[in-house]
Amino acid sequence: MDATLDAAEGLAVLAAGAAAGAINAVVGSGTLVTFPVLLALGYPPVVANVSNTVGLVPGSFSGAYAYRKDLAGHGWLLLRLGIAAVLGGVTGGVLLLCLPPGAFRAIVPALIGMALVLVVLQPRLARALAGRRDEDGRRAGALLLLGVFGTGTYGGYFGAAQGVLLLGLLGVLLSTDLRWVNGVKNLLAGLVNGVAAALFLALGTVAWQPALLIAAGSVVGGLIGGRWGRRLPPTALRAVIVVVGLAALVKLLLA
């Protein structure tokens, strides 16, 4: 399904993509902005999710690019984490394409609900991480690699709050330097979205017009969020995510 969007609809998708790119760079959960917009425009849930994932890939990497100085010198660690994330993204993407649409419709409300709970609890999680001491070494142990794989599987399947999950996981098992962890989170989320998008391009259904509009918006939003997002009130961001996410949840449950 790829019906032509009118000017107002196209602007709404572009703005949602920019907002999602900025939110993903700062917090994660940008999918909770773009996914409901595509649902409201009449795209089926699986098509909306596939198109949304494809569209958010450039924004994920633009957000990671803003943290490039923080990530310098950690190539081997990032390679190991990246491999785990890619394998998880492939697994989640295959699950999305193999499971029947009815299963997706049944599972997504639960995923959105879990994502919203994570977003609401994010301040407490951040305080807990801030209270820990930084580790001298940043190593990717088996537990961390397994956790990144699991988060990547979730991200490849749906992705909302993937960033929040990664922040908690990396902060507990890798480092409490939240600025550095956020850069790693952006890179891993970009890899998951990228490999899932490649799978969807080969095997799935992409609505190209909204996907390209989201891509354009998310690049700008990712750069802005990566550079300036830490100055924005996190409470306001969480409020927007929760409101939009609840709207998506209600729409899916009533569909």
Side-chain angles (χ1 to χ4, degrees):
M1 175 183 177
D2 201 2
T4 301
L5 302 175
D6 62 31
E9 292 171 338
L11 184 60
V13 173
L14 183 67
I23 292 171
N24 279 341
V26 179
V27 181
S29 307
T31 292
L32 292 181
V33 175
T34 46
F35 182 68
V37 170
L38 296 186
L39 290 180
L41 293 176
Y43 291 95
V46 172
V47 175
N49 188 46
V50 168
S51 306
N52 175 71
T53 299
V54 172
L56 288 178
V57 170
S60 298
F61 286 114
S62 70
Y65 179 78
Y67 286 85
R68 63 193 182 280
K69 293 181 180 179
D70 300 298
L71 300 180
H74 298 282
W76 175 241
L77 171 65
L78 296 176
L79 176 62
R80 297 184 68 193
L81 294 175
I83 291 173
V86 166
L87 293 176
V90 171
T91 302
V94 169
L95 288 175
L96 176 63
L97 294 174
C98 291
L99 292 176
F104 181 80
R105 186 181 294 274
I107 294 169
V108 166
L111 295 181
I112 292 179
M114 183 177 70
L116 293 177
V117 170
L118 287 170
V119 170
V120 171
L121 293 179
Q122 205 260 345
R124 181 179 299 178
L125 186 137
R127 286 195 297 269
L129 295 181
R132 289 169 51 91
R133 293 182 179 179
D134 290 335
E135 295 85 352
D136 294 331
R138 293 167 174 173
R139 299 181 180 89
L143 183 59
L144 177 59
L145 292 174
L146 182 62
V148 170
F149 171 81
T151 305
T153 300
Y154 169 77
Y157 186 82
F158 183 53
Q162 177 188 188
V164 178
L165 288 170
L166 280 170
L167 281 174
L169 181 71
L170 297 172
V172 171
L173 298 178
L174 188 62
S175 173
T176 55
D177 182 347
L178 291 183
R179 178 174 177 175
W180 183 77
V181 163
N182 204 31
V184 177
K185 177 264 294 180
N186 287 338
L187 178 62
L188 296 182
L191 290 173
V192 170
N193 289 341
V195 70
L199 187 63
F200 297 154
L201 289 174
L203 303 174
T205 302
V206 179
W208 282 107
Q209 190 175 11
L212 292 174
L213 288 170
I214 290 174
S218 69
V219 168
V220 177
L223 289 172
I224 294 174
R227 293 180 180 178
W228 307 107
R230 292 185 295 274
R231 302 181 182 181
L232 297 176
T235 301
L237 284 174
R238 281 191 297 274
V240 171
I241 294 169
V242 169
V243 169
V244 176
L246 286 174
L249 185 60
V250 170
K251 182 175 179 63
L252 280 173
L253 291 175
L254 294 180

